[in-house]
Amino acid sequence: MYYTLTRSRRKTAAIYVRNGKVEVRAPLRMPKREIDRFVLEKEQWILKSLEKQQTQAAQKESFVIDYGSSILFRGKPYPITQRNGKHAGFDDSVFYMPTGLTPQQIKTAYIQLYKILAKSHITQRVDFFASQMGVTPAAVKINSAMKRWGSCSSLQRLNFSWRLIMADDAIIDYVVVHELAHIKEMNHSARFWTVVERVLPDFRERKLALTELQSRLSGEDWG
């Protein structure tokens, strides 16, 4: 199996499968034969990871948002319809879009709409749980992060990916509470998870559901 090898002062070997490529990171003095044996032992996992990434890449390539498509909002699918006018919007039953746009224009417009909807709803949930938890974030912002649902800076500023608005309310609340908990504990220690559990006793189930959503969205090209 072909792989790229990176040596460093690390103590153990590790395998990374990204973008259809395999990279092995190994200690400076680890013999090549031991590295090859390590890779061989992990061959089935590597092959499964490569296959999963290839499937996701194919899904992304065929992903299209157009009139008649359905997109998620707070965990539920809503159809995209055409409507006379110049603006995109959401009326609690459908997403509507001016006529005559290309799929790329439709996607771009809905990303902007998602950001607006995310700012409104997530800020409300932050206010709700911040009061319960006795914390006050310095700011709440929506960004375009692709790999992080949320973050909390050392200055207690909260950031959330606009993609979070596609999740259902239970998942959104979990991410909000997770980031608010970091105001009290800037780590993922046992104390941190205790803070989360006090507010959401079922946080483990919500965390698992978030992972499932991440898997779904990994096959969608939202740019």
Side-chain angles (χ1 to χ4, degrees), residues 14-64:
I15 300 173
Y16 298 86
V17 181
R18 297 193 182 100
N19 301 319
K21 297 180 180 179
V22 181
E23 178 190 4
V24 179
R25 300 179 186 178
L28 293 171
R29 297 185 179 181
M30 187 174 189
K32 183 63 164 54
R33 63 180 179 277
E34 289 187 20
I35 297 173
D36 288 339
R37 183 165 58 247
F38 175 64
V39 171
L40 185 61
E41 290 173 353
K42 303 295 183 181
E43 183 178 25
Q44 291 304 309
W45 175 82
I46 294 172
L47 292 175
K48 287 182 180 179
S49 297
L50 288 170
E51 182 180 4
K52 181 179 179 180
Q53 290 186 8
Q54 289 170 356
T55 299
Q56 290 174 347
Q59 290 174 339
K60 281 190 173 184
E61 189 173 346
S62 62
F63 180 73
V64 175

Side-chain angles (χ1 to χ4, degrees), residues 102-118:
T102 67
Q104 182 58 48
Q105 289 173 322
I106 292 174
K107 182 169 70 173
T108 298
Y110 276 118
I111 289 175
Q112 296 305 312
L113 181 57
Y114 267 145
K115 290 178 180 178
I116 295 170
L117 293 170

Side-chain angles (χ1 to χ4, degrees), residues 3 5 10 24 44 46 54 58 68-69 73 90 113 117 126 129 174 176 187 189 193 197 211 214-215:
Y3 62 86
L5 175 61
R10 61 183 300 129
V24 179
Q44 291 304 309
I46 294 172
Q54 289 170 356
S69 300
F73 174 63
F90 176 66
L113 181 57
L117 293 170
V126 168
F129 284 110
Y174 163 69
V176 167
N187 51 55
S189 65
W193 291 112
E197 191 169 21
T211 301
Q214 176 70 62
S215 179

Side-chain angles (χ1 to χ4, degrees), residues 146-194:
M146 297 181 66
K147 295 184 178 180
R148 300 186 70 177
W149 293 103
S151 63
C152 176
S153 74
S154 59
L155 298 177
Q156 300 183 0
R157 294 172 179 168
L158 306 187
N159 291 280
F160 298 94
S161 171
W162 63 260
R163 292 167 174 78
L164 184 59
I165 201 61
M166 288 190 260
D168 65 36
D169 289 350
I171 296 175
I172 294 173
D173 286 353
Y174 163 69
V175 176
V176 167
V177 171
H178 183 115
E179 301 311 329
L180 286 170
H182 278 310
I183 295 178
K184 291 188 173 183
E185 296 288 341
M186 286 297 292
N187 51 55
H188 286 107
S189 65
R191 291 192 304 273
F192 167 82
W193 291 112
T194 297

